[in-house]
Amino acid sequence: VPLTVAVAGASGYAAAELFRLLSVHPDVTEVRAYSRRPEAVPLPGHVQVRPYGDLFAEGADVVFLSLPADAARAAAKELVASGRVVIDLSGGHRLPEARYRAVYGDAESEGAGQAVYGLTEWFRDELKGQRLVANPGCYATAMALLLLPLAAEGLIPDFAVADGISGHSGAGRAEKGRHLLAEASEDVSPYRLTGHPHAAEVEEVVGARAGKAFRLHFTPHLAPLSRGLVTTIHLPLDLAPERLAALYQERYHGSPFVQVLPPGQDPRTRHVLGTNVVELAVAVDRERGFAVLTAALDNLGKGAAGQAIQNMNVLLGLPEERGLLLPTFAV
Ligand SMILES: NC(=O)c1ccc[n+]([C@@H]2O[C@H](COP(=O)([O-])OP(=O)(O)OC[C@H]3O[C@@H](n4cnc5c(N)ncnc54)[C@H](OP(=O)(O)O)[C@@H]3O)[C@@H](O)[C@H]2O)c1
């Protein structure tokens, strides 16, 4: 199927990764970029850049919104009403209305929880034929993939604690200050001790699957990387390590981008750089009755543009891995 796709927010980081990945997608014949300052955006040759306002008048088979949440919500409303298929990379449609207002501080929240949550591995059936997809947050993707197998088996506790470490592209191109090389190099630091919006997302999706309230305390850290993240979750669980490992192997068997590592191997950002792959590892400290669940992904890959394309594939009935089977780094 020859597809025309549109990308809004062309000068941003997630859009840049969409342009890179879409250039090798066999079904995508035309990529249109929309920017509020088209003259200022240097883009690869296969992408034509147009003024942002033209997005609403021009047709496209799929529209990727790579914008801040409030701008994405306003755009999605108009695009969906005029029959377009929209994949929103922002947090604008990931949470139910009241929670969206509380977490993102946006007064306009109508229909916030009405999109399908695009964590592909868990919502394949719901994605087919959808018009509006809420692409998950980068940390939320990693944490939900780690917690949902336990939630689905009735093994999830009421509460878990998680830490994350990510590179600086997670903040977007507009952010400066501590994200500039002079301040970011040789520096590792926590940056939002409580209240990261991705924790709310994970509580919603895991709680819904478990059929009970679930709480996650999450603290992210910044490391001197441009891209990539690791998250590690600790929770009380008394289960044989082999049983826990088998649960994840079985659940993600047939999911081309989720690699459950054998015991003794650890997830690494370097292994997933530039790809749509997530590496997972799980272990149990039986003496203390704790499980440790850990994952690595590329925040611009599986954490944003890669998963958005994976969702487009499923939504349109294409093979899930179409255009996304990129080689990984071995060293
Ligand atoms: N970076 C990540 O790792 C990551 C991962 C998952 C999800 N996300 C989400 O994806 C979205 C894009 O992230 P990003 O990192 O690419 O951000 P970014 O680098 O800041 O890019 C966002 C782009 O949106 C456009 N924009 C900004 N304000 C706008 C407005 N009021 N109206 C219309 N367009 C506006 C700008 O593009 P123009 O100037 O060209 O118009 C801007 O470059 C965000 O919602 C982010 O939370 C990011």
Side-chain angles (χ1 to χ4, degrees):
V1 249
L3 296 172
T4 298
V5 305
V7 177
S11 69
Y13 285 161
E17 189 66 357
L18 279 168
F19 299 139
R20 187 178 78 93
L21 295 173
L22 288 167
S23 73
V24 293
H25 194 294
D27 298 301
V28 173
T29 48
E30 192 181 337
V31 181
R32 297 177 184 164
Y34 294 87
S35 172
R36 294 165 309 162
R37 37 185 197 128
E39 66 294 339
V41 189
L43 292 175
H46 66 286
V47 178
Q48 315 154 30
V49 64
R50 296 147 190 251
Y52 179 66
D54 291 1
L55 173 69
F56 304 93
E58 297 181 351
D61 297 301
V62 177
V63 180
F64 294 99
L65 297 176
S66 189
L67 308 171
D70 52 354
R73 289 182 49 71
K77 198 172 176 189
E78 192 172 338
L79 292 165
V80 172
S82 63
R84 244 67 67 76
V85 170
V86 173
I87 299 179
D88 178 8
L89 279 78
S90 84
H93 294 91
R94 298 177 194 151
L95 297 170
E97 291 194 21
R99 200 137 197 217
Y100 171 74
R101 286 196 301 275
V103 169
Y104 286 90
D106 188 351
E108 200 292 299
S109 64
E110 194 194 330
Q114 299 305 308
V116 61
Y117 189 66
L119 186 68
T120 328
E121 284 73 15
W122 289 85
F123 294 92
R124 288 188 181 99
D125 293 342
E126 292 85 341
L127 278 161
K128 291 199 180 97
Q130 268 291 335
R131 305 212 77 85
L132 179 59
V133 177
N135 215 58
C138 49
Y139 271 126
T141 296
M143 293 193 286
L145 287 171
L146 287 171
L147 291 165
L148 284 168
L150 294 179
E153 293 296 316
L155 291 169
I156 199 96
D158 296 339
F159 197 91
V161 176
D163 281 316
I165 304 176
S166 78
H168 286 261
S169 63
R173 199 197 286 274
E175 294 291 332
K176 296 256 163 27
R178 74 195 297 182
H179 302 291
L180 293 167
L181 181 69
E183 299 179 39
S185 66
E186 303 304 324
D187 186 47
V188 176
S189 103
Y191 67 91
R192 192 166 180 173
L193 299 191
T194 64
H196 193 286
H198 294 183
E201 227 178 282
V202 175
E203 287 183 347
E204 292 291 335
V205 68
V206 171
R209 188 68 56 155
K212 66 172 187 179
F214 170 72
R215 294 306 228 176
L216 180 71
H217 176 70
F218 170 63
T219 301
H221 299 65
L222 275 167
L225 306 168
S226 62
R227 43 201 283 177
L229 66 81
V230 168
T231 183
T232 302
I233 306 176
H234 306 267
L235 47 83
L237 187 75
D238 194 16
L239 195 71
E242 304 74 35
R243 251 199 83 201
L244 186 67
L247 178 70
Y248 282 76
Q249 293 285 0
E250 281 159 26
R251 183 57 191 79
Y252 291 119
H253 180 77
S255 286
F257 300 112
V258 181
Q259 293 179 0
V260 182
L261 300 178
Q265 285 189 29
D266 305 312
R268 293 182 58 179
T269 57
R270 177 163 262 280
H271 290 168
V272 296
L273 183 63
T275 75
N276 197 45
V277 171
V278 188
E279 287 191 345
L280 307 184
V282 296
V284 186
D285 177 350
R286 286 218 96 173
E287 236 179 273
R288 289 158 196 84
F290 263 83
V292 55
L293 318 172
T294 179
L297 57 76
D298 186 329
N299 55 293
L300 294 177
K302 179 65 174 170
Q307 184 152 248
I309 294 171
Q310 191 182 355
N311 285 329
M312 175 187 82
N313 289 341
V314 173
L315 183 152
L316 296 177
L318 299 170
E320 184 172 325
E321 62 276 27
R322 195 109 166 125
L324 291 169
L325 292 176
L326 297 166
T328 53
F329 284 88
V331 286

